[in-house]
Amino acid sequence: MTALATAGGTAVVQAAGTDAWTGVRQQVARWFGRGNPQREHAELERLEQTAGELEAARPTEVERVRIRQESAWQGRIEALLESLQDGERARIADELRTLLVRQTSHSSVSAGQSGLAVGGPVDVRADHGSAAAVTMGNVTLGNPSQPGPHQD
């Protein structure tokens, strides 16, 4: 359960401030709410507070804030899972696993304050004297071939 909670906390924080945030925010709040609209609303507020803290962090503080927020969400997820009976815990844990798999399997690109997140295949090619090409999947890095005389 600790690994699942860690993955959940990381997913929340990594999605904050990206194009994926709206969907992740709704799914996580719904997961925490478990059918209770008041609980879901409270979680939406907590999620917005997380996004706000990450956005407001100065560049020198971003990593510290990210770590703190990941730990906080990990703790919240662990506390929820530990509060449940075994059968319900297994069902809710499976729901979280499904949510995380859906989140990481989307073919999308989103940019946040700390970088770029890409789900799905990526193929970047260099052209006109640029320096590199990157292909994601099995990660390979390489320099582009030199253009022939007809490509100048």
Side-chain angles (χ1 to χ4, degrees):
M1 289 295 144
T2 300
L4 180 60
T6 300
T10 299
V12 166
V13 173
Q14 286 180 345
T18 69
D19 295 342
W21 179 239
T22 300
V24 170
R25 179 180 152 274
Q26 290 294 337
Q27 292 171 7
V28 169
R30 198 172 306 121
W31 181 81
F32 269 103
R34 296 184 340 274
N36 181 315
Q38 290 82 14
R39 255 195 320 236
E40 187 173 329
H41 181 73
E43 293 305 326
L44 285 169
E45 288 180 359
R46 284 184 185 97
L47 288 158
E48 283 308 309
Q49 188 174 25
T50 293
E53 286 185 31
L54 289 163
E55 187 177 321
R58 290 181 288 209
T60 57
E61 299 176 331
V62 169
E63 191 60 27
R64 183 182 55 79
V65 172
R66 289 182 77 76
I67 290 168
R68 186 171 49 83
Q69 288 296 330
E70 284 178 6
S71 292
W73 283 102
Q74 176 184 347
R76 291 186 53 67
I77 292 167
E78 284 178 336
L80 173 62
L81 292 171
E82 289 171 1
S83 73
L84 304 171
Q85 298 295 326
D86 289 341
E88 188 179 15
R89 180 182 305 126
R91 183 179 60 79
I92 297 296
D94 284 343
E95 288 176 10
L96 180 58
R97 282 185 196 93
T98 299
L99 186 157
L100 294 173
V101 165
R102 256 187 275 146
Q103 175 56 34
T104 59
S105 68
H106 290 321
S107 292
S108 62
V109 177
S110 58
Q113 190 174 16
S114 297
L116 182 68
V118 179
V122 175
D123 185 18
V124 179
R125 302 255 175 224
D127 196 8
H128 300 293
S130 52
V134 178
T135 301
M136 301 297 286
N138 289 331
V139 177
T140 58
L141 303 173
N143 290 324
S145 59
Q146 293 295 319
H150 66 281
Q151 294 175 322
D152 284 334

